[in-house]
Amino acid sequence: MWRVKASLLVMAASGFAGLGYQIVWTQQCALWLGHESASVLAVVGAFFGGLAAGALLFGSRIEASAKPLRWYVGCELAIAAWSLVLALAMPWMSDGLLGLIGAQPSPPWQWAVAFAGSFLLLLPATAAMGATLPAMEKLAAQWQRRGRSIAPLYASNTVGAVCGVLAIAFWLAPELGLRRTAAVCIALNLLCAFGAASLFPQRATAAIAPAGGEARQARSLLIRLAATGLLGIGFEVLVVRVLSEVAEDTVYTFALLLAVYLVGSALGAAVYQRLRSRVRDAERFGDALLAALAVSCLLGTASLWYADALKQQWLALFGFGMRAALSVEALLALGVFALPTLFMGAVFSDLSNRAHAAGVPFGRVLGVNTLGAAAAPPLFGVLALPMLGPKFALLLLSAGYLALIAARRWRSPMLWLPAGVASLLGLLAPALAIVEVPEGGHVVEYRDGVMAAVSVVEDAQGVRRLRIDNRQQEGSSASLRVDGRQAWLPMLLHPQPRRALFLGLGTGVTASTAALDPAVEVDAVELLPEVIDASKHFADVVSAQPNPRLHRIAADARRYVRASERRYDVVVADNFHPARSGSGSLYTVEHFAAVRERLSDDGLFCQWLPLHQLDNETLRSIVQSFVVVYPHASAMFASNSLQTPVLGLVGRRDDGGFDFESLGRRLASVRAERMPAEFGIEDEFALLGGFVAGPAALKAFAGTAPANTDDHPVVAYRAPAITYAPDSLPGDRMIELLRQWRIEPRELLGPAVGADPLHRLAAYWRARDRFVESGRAVQPSPDARRMLAQVREPLLEVLRTSADFRPAYDPLLSMARTLAAVDERAARNLLERLAELAPARAEAPELLEKMAPPAP
């Protein structure tokens, strides 16, 4: 009996390692596949495909072998050996596959290489994994004289897999990185091999042979095994995709969803094992399980329509914080997965036992089931979801389970109910599209793609917003000034750009603004074709006419940078949400180095960062990664916004500084439909006025923070903390950086610049800091006098510091115009102060001249 228990422990350890590899390989393959969700689909397909190959190729041999221990030990050693090869050589293998896909692949070619490449890359290890369960079953079978059942081994293996998923996502990968985590899994494989060699005898005693069954019955059971494997993993793929529109879609979200799915399957197998001896009519019981599985999938699908509302209610109940948010995501997963996976585990155990009783070897049972599972990601994730939508794809799954039930059972009215419910949901239920629509607003467009759902929502004021998976806003029609500055600032810092690359399109406002410069050709790379299509709803924000100089490219940013051979004068990377699945790989040392290779000799790279979505520790790691590649980097803010501050890291291929006179000539040479001055960039001081840190300040800020690398993706694991539980306001983080960082004009401009520009630029920066600090206490009001009472003295003090600082001059001038209609004396007094503090500006004196002379 102790050996039976030992076999369960060995299978648990093997399951821990197996799912551990899947998590590691998914993140590693995402680097060449281009997106985390694409990697999940490809690796899941490759994983089950390899398991099927191993079980089908070796299962019968193991069943017939008198020495299954050798098979088991050999398989565990093979897994360890190939995993070691992958740990050491994955970067080079990935480079080869990336080159095979190319910079701009067609969707069929991309997915063909994704699935086939992942399958072949992982095959030696996954095929060996597929043979371990039949080998262990054969070893344990000699002590199970009352009848062989795969359920205990399946349950134990699955429990170990759950532990592996959670331990790796929440502890090992964040602390050790991917290669060292793989090393832990390799050690477990070796432990399983040597443990089994010590525990079990070299030769297996003869087990009770199963009674042979009819070939027709065996074929029927194998078809059901393949179909349930296909439908079970298809359900997982579709539900994970839909819940990504409700949950935060971080690395922890996927780990929790997978863990709940596995726990339910293990419990189902365990419950079946306890009930198995009480079953009198196996066929009737099996059909009842399939009917219950179909009904539970319908219930799980129905719960998705209420998932977002339930999330909000549970968050209000549990409070806000990372533990509370993760608990809510786990509850959402339970609501959808609990019953379906419970019956999935029971159905698999039942079919496998009946198939073995019919004379089918366990290897074939496992191989056929996992072969069906391998087909699920391409069939449901790539084809069915975008073609049918998640609602009809999920209902099709439930109908598939019902179709597996024997025809004679349909005489019972009990089966008509789930069929009728599925039909009603298909006819009457709305599309399974989770979109937050503000009061008085409406959905302009919604599209389900392979990797994400993209929506355009317009509110009652006519402001349109682009969202990915509902949770991630990619810009709006009301943010032209800030979005446009993110284009003009880096473009104007280059003396004479001819070609620019924008990584990330979003609404297209930023890239379209850059393309306003008639001297520049702009390539904008966007991963999601649905985003490119949705950007047409924002085309009129920048210009009423299409711009032939803007080239929208459907491709992955990382892959395009590494595979393209084109050089660029300016590369601008969007402020990708660092916590979202897959985005952390766009802030790694390796990616920043690849961008440097794409730059021309005097090229400039600007990486925008969403400070409102970053905590300080994650920011330190990103800065550390950037200065490793660009040691003379500097940092600037895109605007003075306290609500959504955007920080830019700026690096040059030649590590040089900026020439003040060249910047002036560059500004003067621009001839565009919308000039930089419209975006608040009137002169050289406004252009350089956003810089907040030079090389010394950035290196001091990064300190000893770990760099974010492909092997140690610290950003992916750290960034979600502030998403789940914000620890401060974005404006407070911005002000803290302004107080902490220091920059000297000569760090940017070099020794050749004269004293006057240096003095005025330093004063401009001091004025900016005071302006931002004073803005924290301002309460917006439509009453001009009330607003003036709040901001008059702080803004005048800012102008005393720097007469060049227009962000203080312009709002006071605007308030003076408004005030002139209700309090002419106060307006005149304010205009006189403005004329005094900023004598070079003509607006205040001109407005004074237009006003009636004061009464004597």
Side-chain angles (χ1 to χ4, degrees), residues 158-187:
T158 307
V159 168
V162 172
C163 295
V165 167
L166 296 178
I168 287 171
F170 287 90
W171 175 44
L172 290 175
E175 294 296 324
L176 303 180
L178 300 181
R179 285 187 185 178
R180 292 182 180 180
T181 298
V184 171
C185 296
I186 291 170

Side-chain angles (χ1 to χ4, degrees), residues 322-411:
M322 187 164 180
R323 289 185 180 180
L326 289 173
S327 299
V328 169
E329 290 188 353
L331 286 174
L332 290 173
L334 281 170
V336 185
F337 279 143
L339 281 178
T341 54
L342 189 71
F343 286 109
M344 285 177 194
V347 164
F348 171 72
S349 299
D350 174 69
L351 289 173
S352 63
N353 285 334
R354 288 163 58 194
H356 187 261
V360 181
F362 275 119
R364 190 177 303 170
V365 166
L366 292 172
V368 167
N369 181 257
T370 50
L371 189 62
L379 182 60
F380 286 99
V382 178
L383 297 177
L385 192 146
M387 290 176 61
L388 303 177
K391 181 185 82 169
F392 286 108
L394 284 164
L395 294 178
L396 182 65
L397 284 170
S398 297
Y401 283 120
L402 291 174
L404 295 176
I405 298 173
R408 61 181 178 275
R409 309 289 182 207
W410 282 90
R411 299 170 186 169

Side-chain angles (χ1 to χ4, degrees), residues 10-93:
V10 169
M11 288 311 298
S14 184
F16 185 109
L19 262 292
Y21 288 131
Q22 183 176 339
I23 296 294
V24 170
W25 293 338
T26 296
Q27 294 194 39
Q28 290 177 329
C29 288
L31 300 176
W32 63 272
L33 285 170
H35 194 272
E36 194 84 1
S37 61
S39 182
V40 167
L41 293 176
V43 172
V44 167
F47 213 80
F48 281 111
L51 294 178
L56 291 173
L57 287 173
F58 305 119
S60 298
R61 299 181 184 181
I62 293 171
E63 186 77 12
S65 174
K67 298 180 179 180
L69 179 61
R70 290 187 180 181
W71 279 98
Y72 180 80
V73 171
C75 286
E76 291 287 359
L77 293 176
I79 296 168
W82 189 250
S83 299
L84 179 61
V85 171
L86 291 177
L88 298 175
M90 181 66 87
W92 294 275
M93 294 179 176

